Amino acid sequence: MNSHMVSAQTSAANARKSPRQARSVNTVEAIFEATIQVLISDGPGDLTTTRVAERAGVSVGSLYQYFPNKQALFHAVNERYLTMLAERVEAACLDHRGARYAEMADALVSTYIEVKIERRDVTIALYRAAAEVDVAEIVEAMSQRIEAASQAMFATASDAKFANLSTVNVMMLNVLCGTVRNIFERDMSELLIDGGLRTQLTLMFCTYLDAAKFPPSEA
């Protein structure tokens, strides 16, 4: 059985019980937050359902009503975070349809970075956890949503049309996601705090988009 099949089966089993009542929602919120805290304090290798339950102030039995094992916790926390990220980027892209492409580039870059630094501890914890559990399926779903949203936005630019927009869009997003992850993993906080990363990535995107305009800019 390949890893994608295992991932799909694990993802399908993430939540045994859907939290509908207020008390259940609060329990799941506590479990999510406790999972993040244990990831931060102990690391993904030492995370156990017992430690998470203790940190959340619930019984292990209560935790198992929603998540059957720690892999399910990893998947659920990642899925929740990445879904929120995709939703925020989609909203920003929708809001900037019809704008100038430089404004679009800045909106895409700044929204992505803002989500990542709002809970920097969560971002770092989930990057570390990704090495322990296969979350490729969840990441791919998020990536497809962001790619669709940003491509649809750039296609409506008021000041340019782009050749090979699909390829240009994917290249920019790969640079964005990879660079931001590298900055977090290397703890280069100064680039996140002073806006240097946003400025440089926006400049890079605008330069690339300018070169991809149709017809191309004259030298």
Side-chain angles (χ1 to χ4, degrees):
M1 184 179 295
N2 62 42
S3 61
H4 290 293
M5 291 177 63
V6 172
S7 175
Q9 291 176 358
T10 304
S11 182
N14 275 350
R16 285 181 166 173
K17 179 178 177 182
S18 179
R20 292 178 181 165
Q21 296 181 347
R23 184 175 180 181
S24 296
V25 171
N26 290 338
T27 298
V28 171
E29 288 289 335
I31 291 170
F32 277 138
E33 187 62 30
T35 302
I36 294 299
Q37 295 305 318
V38 173
L39 282 171
I40 293 167
S41 62
D42 302 337
D46 291 327
L47 183 143
T48 65
T49 52
T50 300
R51 289 185 181 184
V52 171
E54 289 175 352
R55 183 69 66 95
V58 302
S59 68
V60 174
S62 293
L63 185 149
Y64 284 154
Q65 289 180 16
Y66 304 99
F67 308 104
N69 49 50
K70 82 172 192 174
Q71 286 77 19
L73 277 172
F74 279 137
H75 275 268
V77 172
N78 271 279
E79 186 170 36
R80 185 186 211 214
Y81 177 82
L82 292 175
T83 297
M84 180 270 293
L85 173 61
E87 288 173 349
R88 291 274 293 276
V89 172
E90 285 171 337
C93 289
L94 188 60
D95 287 345
H96 286 81
R97 287 190 184 185
R100 297 172 65 85
Y101 68 84
E103 295 171 8
M104 293 177 170
D106 183 65
L108 176 61
V109 170
S110 59
T111 300
Y112 189 89
I113 292 175
E114 282 168 8
V115 173
K116 290 290 184 177
I117 64 178
E118 280 175 0
R119 283 287 305 270
R120 193 175 309 180
D121 55 345
V122 176
T123 300
I124 293 172
L126 293 184
Y127 278 146
R128 291 173 180 168
E132 297 288 326
V133 177
D134 179 15
V135 292
E137 184 178 315
I138 302 171
V139 172
E140 178 61 21
M142 180 272 296
S143 297
Q144 288 183 9
R145 288 179 62 176
I146 289 179
E147 285 170 13
S150 57
Q151 183 172 331
M153 174 182 67
F154 284 116
T156 69
S158 63
D159 55 345
K161 296 298 179 185
F162 303 100
N164 301 316
L165 178 57
S166 177
T167 300
V168 170
N169 184 59
V170 169
M171 292 297 294
M172 289 192 299
L173 289 175
N174 282 338
V175 169
L176 175 61
C177 298
T179 301
V180 171
R181 178 166 186 163
N182 183 262
I183 292 297
F184 272 96
E185 290 181 338
R186 295 181 63 191
D187 194 25
M188 300 171 73
S189 332
E190 66 281 359
L191 289 175
L192 296 169
I193 295 170
D194 65 11
L197 181 61
R198 170 184 171 178
T199 300
Q200 294 302 316
L201 283 173
T202 300
L203 175 61
M204 187 184 301
F205 281 19
C206 288
T207 303
Y208 186 32
L209 288 165
D210 188 61
K213 285 193 301 186
F214 184 82
S217 300
E218 294 183 2

